[in-house]
Amino acid sequence: MPNTTVILPGKRADLILRNPVLTASGTFGYGLEFMPYGNLADLGGIVVKGISLAPRRGNPMPRIAETPAGMLNAIGIQNCGLAVFLKEKLPLLPWRDLPVIVNLYATSLDEYAELARSLAAEEGVAALEVNISCPNVKAGGVFFGQNPKQAESVTESVAKNAGNKPVIVKLSPNVTDIAAIAKACEAGGADSLSCINTLQAMAVDIRTRKPRLANGIGGLSGPAVKPVALRCVWQVARAVSIPVIGLGGIATAEDVLEFILAGAHAVQIGTATFSRPDTAFRVAGELPALMEELGIASLDEFRGTLAM
């Protein structure tokens, strides 16, 4: 049987996954919503939706629109806030059986630091994923992820307050040079990087003469962004010495191996979950057979072997 275990080495602690299949923040709720569709412990880990210090209502409706090869969203980081998450959501998750990674959203360095300090003390939290790439909010989000100095500052603010929790920074594709942002996050103390978040995009209605999203612009995800995501993972993996987690249009075991071939240690499955809620469970279950078919004994030996 092929070895699907993945170790993401970190400065503070290693993150150990039983397989490389994680869920993407913003597409899997708090994890609890998907318990009817599979055993969460069969996954490599889950990344819960973005958590802010105070609850957020998110953007006005409509905030989701289908596209021919994916979807647009402008949810706006709607969430219950840190206190409710810690009291009502985290205790119900099987965090002893798999890593629970919390995605952080804030609008200032002080807020990021406060979130990190609070979560550093939580036994049920395995790692922190820092959102510096959401295109659907008017403050914070991608503002921090489009400038190397800002990205390094946010990363440093979280890393200094994360205790022994590994820090993952989620990168935006909406930049001129994603490798430069990746290097800045590494310099700021990131243990791993995840890429990519959604691409800024738009849809319009010729009958109403209005955008299909109330926010006007949203984030494009799904199969349409997969080639962009692969390119970004390949570039980032070559630019830094820390692990990379790939996401963008992943829906099959074949997709998983493509990202690992390009240099990723692990992947996150997002938009595919909306059309088939059991996607992450199915992909994790199918991966060993595909590895055996292709003669891949371990993911370590396969990673980054793309011939150029």
Side-chain angles (χ1 to χ4, degrees), residues 64-152:
I64 291 180
E66 290 189 58
T67 68
M71 65 174 281
L72 288 171
N73 94 83
I75 303 299
I77 320 287
Q78 177 184 345
N79 74 95
C80 62
L82 178 64
V84 173
F85 172 74
L86 294 179
K87 181 179 179 181
E88 299 181 8
K89 309 296 185 182
L90 183 60
L92 300 179
L93 289 170
W95 52 264
R96 291 182 176 83
D97 301 320
L98 86 164
V100 173
I101 300 167
V102 179
N103 182 282
L104 314 185
Y105 169 74
T107 59
S108 70
L109 298 185
D110 288 342
E111 287 182 3
Y112 275 115
E114 186 175 348
L115 279 166
R117 279 194 299 271
S118 297
L119 291 164
E122 294 294 328
E123 184 184 6
V125 175
L128 310 179
E129 183 181 67
V130 187
N131 186 349
I132 61 167
S133 52
C134 179
N136 306 319
V137 291
K138 292 181 171 59
V142 77
F143 167 77
F144 291 116
Q146 292 180 330
N147 179 286
K149 289 184 179 179
Q150 288 284 351
E152 183 174 350

Side-chain angles (χ1 to χ4, degrees), residues 96-298:
R96 291 182 176 83
D97 301 320
L98 86 164
V100 173
I101 300 167
V102 179
N103 182 282
L104 314 185
Y105 169 74
T107 59
S108 70
L109 298 185
D110 288 342
E111 287 182 3
Y112 275 115
E114 186 175 348
L115 279 166
R117 279 194 299 271
S118 297
L119 291 164
E122 294 294 328
E123 184 184 6
V125 175
L128 310 179
E129 183 181 67
V130 187
N131 186 349
I132 61 167
S133 52
C134 179
N136 306 319
V137 291
K138 292 181 171 59
V142 77
F143 167 77
F144 291 116
Q146 292 180 330
N147 179 286
K149 289 184 179 179
Q150 288 284 351
E152 183 174 350
S153 295
V154 171
T155 304
E156 187 175 13
S157 178
V158 173
K160 285 183 175 179
N161 292 279
N164 64 351
K165 311 292 187 189
V167 174
I168 305 164
V169 182
K170 190 170 186 177
L171 304 182
S172 171
N174 304 303
V175 296
T176 303
D177 185 355
I178 195 170
I181 305 295
K183 290 177 182 177
C185 293
E186 182 178 31
D191 296 282
S192 304
L193 302 169
S194 55
C195 58
I196 56 175
N197 209 321
T198 55
L199 287 94
Q200 285 188 311
M202 190 178 194
V204 299
D205 187 325
I206 60 172
R207 290 172 175 80
T208 64
R209 302 189 184 185
K210 293 181 178 180
R212 292 191 180 274
L213 299 175
N215 201 52
I217 293 174
L220 177 65
S221 62
V225 310
K226 181 185 163 189
V228 178
L230 277 168
R231 182 266 298 176
C232 289
V233 165
W234 182 75
Q235 287 181 319
V236 169
R238 289 160 57 92
V240 299
S241 60
I242 56 178
V244 177
I245 302 168
L247 62 154
I250 298 171
T252 66
E254 286 83 358
D255 293 334
V256 174
L257 290 183
E258 287 183 23
F259 275 82
I260 293 174
L261 180 63
H265 273 66
V267 302
Q268 294 177 9
I269 292 179
T271 299
T273 298
F274 292 115
S275 58
R276 185 167 169 174
D278 68 340
T279 297
F281 304 105
R282 174 179 53 82
V283 171
E286 293 175 355
L287 183 61
L290 179 60
M291 290 174 61
E292 190 166 8
E293 175 189 333
L294 297 176
I296 302 170
S298 75

